[in-house]
Amino acid sequence: MKLSNIEINNFRQYYNAVNIDLTTNSDENIIIIGGRNGYGKTNLLLSIVWCLYGEKISQIDDNFKKEIQKEKNYSSFMQQSINWTAKKENKDTFSVSILISEIELPELTKLNSNSESVIITRTFNVTNMNEKLSISDPITNDEIFDDEAEKINFINDYIIPIDAAKFVFFDAEKISEIANLSIKEEGSFINDALGKILGLDTYDTLIEDVEFYINNLKKEGAAKNLQEQIVDKEKAIELSRIDIEKLEEENAEKLKEIDDLTKTIRQYNNLISQNSKQGNSTFNRESILLEMEKLRTKELELTEKFNELSEVIPLAILTGKLEEINEHLEIQEKNELSQKSSKENFEKIENFIELLFNKPPEPDNSSMSFKDKLFYYEKAQNLGSELFSNIGDFQELEFEHDLNNADKSLISDAINLINSQSKDIFEKTIEEFNEVQIKFSELNKTLSKVDADLEDELILEYSSKKDTAEYNKTENNIKIGGNNQQITKLKNDIVRLNQQLLTFVKKVDVNAQNKLKIKESQKYIDVLNSFLDEQKSKHKDSLEKTILSELKILMHKLGSEENSSKFIEDVKVTILASGQGMKITLLDQDDNEIRKESLSSGEKQIYISCLIKAILNESIQSLPIFIDTPLGRLDEEHRDNITKKYYPALSEQVVLFSTNSEITPKRYKDISENISKSYLLFNDGANTNLKNGYFNTKENG
C-alpha cells in the first residue's frame, strides 16, 4: 500500500491547491521533502494524518494532542488551520485529499472492480465548523460509502488502523522516548504495536468484550448492598477519569499562557533595550554582577599567588617588571594626593548642587521633570569638575593597583632579590592581575550605566511588567507540576479502585445459569489467549534476530571487530504473563543486561528504530512510513549509518521530512540511487509551496 498523491488546499501554510506526487518503486523507495524550520514540514505531515483520522489525531502523536489542548478544543484548533491568505480572501473552507493505491479492497458495489485505489478527502468549514469525510472511486469519482461509521471502519480495516498509525507517521527524535518506558509500559507498547500491525488487536478487543459480559453476569446475582458497592467503585473510577481530563485541560491552558507570557517577556526585553539611554538593558544587570563576582574570585586567587611568589622572591620575580610597578605606584601615589584636593573640591560642588536643586526654596509652580533635573544636575557636575580639577598634577593611568602598604613595601624590597628563572611565572601573574583590574573597571562603568537606566521611569515600568510576567510564568509552571502530581495520584487511585472492584465482584453469589455462561465464556477467553500467545511466540525469534541484526548494522560501537564484543552481544524477547505483552532485553558479551536508560539519546533512537523495523517486518502488508526529524539526536556516524543502511531498506515507501543539517547534500548524494523524488519547501513570506530538488542539488541549483 502507498500514498501516491496528496493535494493540500488552503491548509495552514499551503495556499490554494498544492499537489505532491509521492509515487515510488522497489529500487527507489525514498522521497525527501526538505525545508527550513518553520516552512511547513510538520504541518505537511499533520495534513496527511488529519485527512485520515480527523478528530482522532491526538491519539497518534502527543505533539498534535498538545497543539489541540493549547487551543482548548479540536474545533478551535481546526478553525486556526485555514490558510491566512485564503482567510483574507473570505474563503472559509480547507481540505486535504490523498490518493491511496496498491491496496486489496473488498468487493464494493460502488467501486470500480479493477481499481486498487481510493481517494480519501477531508474538508473543514471554519464558518459552520462542519467537517466532512469522503471516500471515492478515483475512476468514477463516486462516493463509496454514505455512512460515516463505514468510512472510519474502512480506513481502519483496509488502509492504516489508527492504533498502527503512530508507527507509520512519527517524529524520529521524539519516538526515542519509548526507550525510557518501564518494563510494563514497554511491554504494553510492543504488544500494541504487534497487535495493530499483525491484526491481533481484534482478538484483544474480543477478549475485553467477553470479560465485560462476564462481569455483568456476575453483578446480576449480587446482593443489593454489594451491587451498591460495585456501582460506587465504578462511579469513583469514572469521576477520577473526569478529574484527570479536567487537570489535563487546565495544564493545556497553562501551557498556552506560558507561551503567551514568554512572548510578553521577550517584547519587554526588546522595549527595555530600545529605550535604554546607554544602550544597555536592565536584564543584563544580573549577568554583569555574576561576571564581577567571577573576577573577584580570580583576583583573590592571583593575590594568593602573589603571596606564594613573595615567599620565594629570588625565584619568583623580575627586576625590570618590579621597577616598572614601583614607578607606577609612585605616580599612583602622586595622583592620589592630587585627587585628594580634587575630591575636596568635588564635595563642595556636590554640596552646592544639592542645595541648588534638592533643597527649598523652589520656584513657584515648578514643573521641572525628573529627566530635566537630571540633565542640569549632571551639567553642573561636569562644569564644576572642569573648573576645579588639578589636571596639571595628574598623570593618566590605564588602571590602578589595589595594594596595601605592606604589598608596596614587599615590591620595593624584592627589587634587589631577583632571579631571572622566575621571569615567565611572575610576568604572567602580573599580566593576569592587570587584566582582571581592567575588566573589573569596565564592568563597573557598564553597571553604572545600567543603574542609571533603572532610574528612568519608562524603563522601570517595562522592568516591572516583565518581572510580573516572569512571576506568572513561574506560577503556571508550579501549577502544572502540582496538577501532574494529582494526575499521578488519580491514576494510582484508579488502579486501587479497580482492584477493590474485582474483589467485590468475586464475592458475588452467581446463580447456576450464569455460572454456566461464565464458564463457557472463560473457555472462549482461554482459547483466544492461547491463540495470541502462539502468534507472539511465532514472531518472538524473528523479532530477536531482526533487532540484533539492525543494531549491529547501525550502532557504531558494533562497527568493527575490535569493538563488536564490547557492547550489545545479544537480544532476548520475553513474553510476559497475563497479557502484559513482551519485554526486550539487551545483553552484553557477559550476558549482563544493558539498561536502556543508560543509552545515550542517539543510541535510544537507534534502538527504537531497530524495534520499529523489526515490528514492520512482521506485517502481512507493506506500510508506507512518514518520518519527521529523521536524524534527530544522532551523532555524525550514526546519521551516516541510518541514512545509508536503514531508510533504503525500511519500507517500499519512505517519506522523510528533513532540514539540510540532517540530510546534507553529501548524505543526499550517498543515497541518490534510492531516491524516487525530492522536493524543497520554499516560502514567499506568507505561504509555502514545493519545487523539485533538494538543497544545493542539480535540480535546485
Side-chain angles (χ1 to χ4, degrees), residues 232-363:
D232 287 344
K233 295 300 176 187
E234 289 175 337
K235 284 182 179 178
I237 291 169
E238 183 60 28
L239 287 172
S240 293
R241 286 177 176 148
I242 292 170
D243 288 342
I244 289 172
E245 188 176 333
K246 287 179 180 177
L247 288 167
E248 287 178 339
E249 287 177 359
E250 186 179 3
N251 278 357
E253 291 176 6
K254 295 297 178 187
L255 284 170
K256 190 174 188 310
E257 288 177 20
I258 287 170
D259 284 346
D260 293 338
L261 288 166
T262 301
K263 292 175 184 175
T264 300
I265 292 166
R266 194 181 300 119
Q267 289 170 353
Y268 281 123
N269 278 338
N270 291 334
L271 286 169
I272 290 169
S273 183
Q274 292 166 11
N275 290 275
S276 172
K277 293 182 293 184
Q278 304 293 341
N280 296 284
S281 55
T282 56
F283 61 84
N284 286 328
R285 195 176 195 279
E286 289 183 8
S287 62
I288 293 169
L289 291 171
L290 184 63
E291 186 63 27
M292 290 177 76
E293 188 60 35
K294 289 179 182 177
L295 287 174
R296 286 193 186 95
T297 304
K298 183 69 174 177
E299 186 180 37
L300 189 61
E301 291 173 357
L302 291 169
T303 301
E304 290 175 357
K305 195 170 182 178
F306 267 125
N307 293 334
E308 291 173 6
L309 289 169
S310 69
E311 293 175 4
V312 285
I313 283 290
L315 302 174
I317 44 184
L318 176 67
T319 305
K321 180 59 74 176
L322 283 175
E323 288 176 342
E324 193 176 305
I325 294 169
N326 203 36
E327 291 173 2
H328 194 118
L329 289 170
E330 288 176 359
I331 296 171
Q332 186 174 313
E333 188 173 355
K334 289 179 182 178
N335 285 346
E336 286 171 357
L337 292 170
S338 176
Q339 287 178 325
K340 185 178 179 183
S341 175
S342 294
K343 186 180 178 182
E344 291 173 354
N345 288 330
F346 185 77
E347 287 175 353
K348 293 176 181 178
I349 294 167
E350 282 289 303
N351 188 46
F352 171 77
I353 294 171
E354 184 71 15
L355 290 169
L356 180 64
F357 288 98
N358 297 326
K359 300 290 182 184
E362 294 181 349

Side-chain angles (χ1 to χ4, degrees), residues 68-121:
I68 291 171
Q69 288 176 336
K70 282 182 182 180
E71 298 296 336
K72 297 187 177 180
N73 56 57
Y74 174 77
S75 295
S76 297
F77 172 72
M78 296 314 301
Q79 198 172 29
Q80 301 302 317
S81 295
I82 190 165
N83 177 268
W84 184 246
T85 304
K87 187 178 180 180
K88 288 196 292 184
E89 294 174 353
N90 295 320
K91 296 177 181 177
D92 61 0
T93 302
F94 60 85
S95 64
V96 178
S97 294
I98 303 174
L99 172 63
I100 302 178
S101 58
E102 299 182 31
I103 51 177
E104 294 184 12
L105 297 172
E107 293 185 6
L108 301 168
T109 56
K110 293 185 180 180
L111 185 65
N112 186 294
S113 59
N114 297 320
S115 180
E116 294 182 345
S117 306
V118 295
I119 295 175
I120 298 176
T121 302

